[in-house]
Amino acid sequence: MKKVFKKHWASPTRIITTKSYKLTFKDILNVLELVALTWIGFFLINFLYDFAAGMEALSEIDKVMRGY
């Protein structure tokens, strides 16, 4: 976030400066990158979990077929 200083005239002899934050395009891209990485991580973990469950099922079928 970018700091922005705004000047306000309180009276003819005084100036008040306030600080505010301004969203920049870089901030929006950082948030989108975080969201994309989170979704990619979730789908990768989900895929690996499903793959492990499938391998376990194939192992059980192999044990049944071989008669162990």
Side-chain angles (χ1 to χ4, degrees):
M1 293 200 172
K2 183 179 179 184
K3 290 181 186 177
V4 177
F5 296 98
K6 296 179 182 177
K7 294 182 180 179
H8 305 281
W9 290 92
S11 66
T13 58
R14 268 186 13 168
I15 297 175
I16 297 175
T17 304
T18 58
K19 179 174 64 172
S20 63
Y21 294 99
K22 182 179 179 183
L23 278 176
T24 60
F25 188 66
K26 185 178 178 183
D27 296 327
I28 295 170
L29 288 180
N30 284 339
V31 170
L32 290 176
E33 180 183 8
L34 179 67
V35 169
L37 288 175
T38 303
W39 276 103
I40 289 169
F42 171 75
F43 284 120
L44 182 62
I45 297 243
N46 192 16
F47 173 75
L48 290 175
Y49 178 76
D50 291 342
F51 182 77
M55 286 293 113
E56 185 178 2
L58 285 175
S59 173
E60 291 296 323
I61 290 173
D62 185 52
K63 284 181 185 176
V64 169
M65 287 174 61
R66 291 180 188 246
Y68 289 130

